Amino acid sequence: MKLKLQSWWNRAGKPERAFALLLVLYLILRAAWRDSVLETLVAFATYVMGAWVALRLLRIGLRKLTWRLRNRLMVAYLFIAVLPILLILTLVGLGGYMLATEVAVYMVRSELDRRVASLESAAEVLAGPANAAPDAVLQRTAEAFEKRFPGIAFVVEEKGKVRRWPENGAISAPEHLPLNSSGLAELDGRYYAWRYEAKNSGTYLVIAPLSRRYLSGMMPGIGDVYFLQRDSVGSSDASGEINPKTRTPSMSSKAVPGYPQNFHFTPAGGDAPRGALAPPVNRFDLPIQWGTFTQAVDWAHADRTEPALLMVRARLSSILAAILSQGGDMSGALLTTFYVLAVAFLIVGIAGLAVGISMSRSITGAVHSLYAGTQRVMRGDFSHLIPVSGGDQLAELSSSFNSMTQNLERLLVVAKEKERMEAEIEIARGVQDQLYPKAPPVFEGLQVLGKCDPARMVSGDYYDYQLVDGKLAVAIGDVAGKGISAALLMATIQAAMRMELRASADVTASRNGLRFSTARMVSELNQQLYATTSPEKYATFFFAIYDQQTGVITYTNAGHLQPVLIRGGVPTQLDVNGTVVGAFPFSKYEESKLELQSGDLLVCYTDGISEPENEYGEMFGEERLIELVAKNATRDDAEIIESVMEAVRQWTGVPELSDDMTLLLARRP
């Protein structure tokens, strides 16, 4: 068990672990500090985290369930077709139920309002012109209205004399009852309809009980109609038992959740229903129950009204019959049309389901064939062909798969050849890395540092520095083109340059200290490159020799970008002494001299630094380079080089370089 819990804990994510910890904390707080503020907060956090975890688990389950295309299509069809139909049917059912309940309540309420309004005519009859036999008028009126309002009562007060019907009636008009008005009233747990008329120096009260049987009989065939009231069961005595003597008589009482146990909602007056509901005409003929609030006068305090809940319980067929009975043949035709449309809708839904299943099977069958074919290809069987049937897009896809397997072997041969070439290029890159100086020379008079960032795996840029006979030779070049051919020419330049340096050193030593000539060495390099390379191959080249004893640097610039000398924060560009090397056999080169002072910084670079463009076609430019180097001149040389190259990358805004970037710094301490 411990291993299982530990395994689950290791596999669980952060939300699951947080939920587990919150759940344990909640159980502890519920046991120790129940109903505390902390327990409530932790419970809320536990519910929120539990909902989050449930959503995560649901997402994981759906992802596993829908891995197979067949299941995914079935889920998609469920959400696209089946679920909307179910929602529509649910909406129609709820709408129909709500409409039926509202119609039933409206019909009963309208009839009740008409009955209440009819009491006004009884009061007007009694309040008519003076009659010689007022008792006879009261008796005839009561007998006439008692057929429509069983249990009706009259109270007539004229000239200080009070007459009642029935004579033993105990109901009288309460104080503050509004004159010339009518409505509903509640008295001793029962509801009444009343009319109070004041006319000809007399008052006339007509009041009729609204029992459950009477309300249900207002519209025969509808169902059960009654007022609902809260019934007090009774108070408990000292022993905790309820005293049945204090309980209000009720029938079919039902406890309502959320209310104290000594309260129930029962039909007003405890009346029994008039009769059971009509039997259902079919399995869909469900009973419905709804209510509406109306205002009733509290007969004990006539200046106060309370809400009264009128409930209607009926069947759908009863309500539909009551509605259609008013329309005659047109209602029957309308109902028939509704049934026809419902059956047509059902047929279309079933046909759509069948078509969807058929299409899903055809799609999943084709995908399964493709999946089986890919498994065969993964095992190296390129001769496997999947069956093609039909002329749709899936058939085209199967044909394309067969064509792919037939051409895959050829593509693999090409891929292997490409892999071999990339391996050879990687070897060439390793060789080229060995050609660059591995570390700056230990030379007290001048500190040099260079770096090349190739646009491809190999670079056509060249930089070098060598100690020769107590002097420091510095070179930088840029070969025309990129890739392997440029890298090979770059290696040729390096070999030729170093050979010329050694030869010049030997000649200088044999001639008792004659100086090195940068112009002569560049000229020799030019003739050698021209003789050993094709005509379109050439390079720009800058070569300089620094003499530590005199502090003078002698240089020849063969068509290369002008190096920049930073002295006291002021930039100065060096001369160009000739054209590119390797293009013309008899090019003439000169040399220039410059005395370096302490703190001077010489910046040599290739066009991969100054010519990259941004998205608007604007080049990085020499001015921006000079400004950047001058601003960072006091920093370490490696930091200066890295900041310049990073600024160029950000300027272009693309991950791949368009040209090789090479930067060489020489600083006199």
Short mmCIF file of all heavy atoms in Angstrom, two decimals, residues 346 357 365 374 616 631 660:
data_model
loop_
_atom_site.label_atom_id
_atom_site.label_comp_id
_atom_site.label_asym_id
_atom_site.label_seq_id
_atom_site.Cartn_x
_atom_site.Cartn_y
_atom_site.Cartn_z
N LEU A 346 -38.14 13.12 -36.71
CA LEU A 346 -37.56 11.88 -36.19
C LEU A 346 -36.93 11.07 -37.31
O LEU A 346 -35.83 10.51 -37.17
CB LEU A 346 -38.62 11.07 -35.46
CG LEU A 346 -38.17 9.75 -34.84
CD1 LEU A 346 -37.10 10.00 -33.78
CD2 LEU A 346 -39.36 9.01 -34.24
N ILE A 357 -22.95 7.30 -39.31
CA ILE A 357 -22.25 6.05 -38.96
C ILE A 357 -21.58 5.45 -40.19
O ILE A 357 -20.44 4.98 -40.13
CB ILE A 357 -23.24 5.06 -38.32
CG1 ILE A 357 -23.73 5.61 -36.97
CG2 ILE A 357 -22.61 3.70 -38.15
CD1 ILE A 357 -24.79 4.76 -36.32
N GLY A 365 -12.12 3.13 -41.78
CA GLY A 365 -11.54 2.01 -42.51
C GLY A 365 -10.33 2.44 -43.33
O GLY A 365 -9.30 1.76 -43.34
N THR A 374 1.61 2.27 -42.63
CA THR A 374 2.74 2.95 -41.98
C THR A 374 3.50 2.01 -41.05
O THR A 374 4.73 2.11 -40.94
CB THR A 374 2.23 4.17 -41.19
OG1 THR A 374 1.24 3.74 -40.23
CG2 THR A 374 1.62 5.20 -42.11
N TYR A 616 13.61 46.60 -42.74
CA TYR A 616 13.31 47.73 -43.62
C TYR A 616 14.39 47.93 -44.68
O TYR A 616 14.36 48.92 -45.41
CB TYR A 616 13.17 49.01 -42.80
CG TYR A 616 12.11 48.92 -41.73
CD1 TYR A 616 12.47 48.81 -40.38
CD2 TYR A 616 10.76 48.91 -42.06
CE1 TYR A 616 11.52 48.71 -39.39
CE2 TYR A 616 9.79 48.81 -41.07
CZ TYR A 616 10.18 48.71 -39.74
OH TYR A 616 9.22 48.60 -38.77
N LYS A 631 31.80 53.36 -27.48
CA LYS A 631 31.07 53.42 -26.21
C LYS A 631 31.53 52.34 -25.25
O LYS A 631 31.51 52.51 -24.03
CB LYS A 631 29.57 53.29 -26.47
CG LYS A 631 28.72 53.43 -25.22
CD LYS A 631 27.25 53.46 -25.56
CE LYS A 631 26.79 52.16 -26.18
NZ LYS A 631 25.34 52.13 -26.44
N ASP A 660 29.21 35.66 -43.03
CA ASP A 660 30.13 35.38 -41.93
C ASP A 660 30.48 36.68 -41.19
O ASP A 660 30.71 37.71 -41.82
CB ASP A 660 31.42 34.74 -42.46
CG ASP A 660 31.12 33.50 -43.29
OD1 ASP A 660 30.16 32.80 -42.96
OD2 ASP A 660 31.85 33.26 -44.28
#
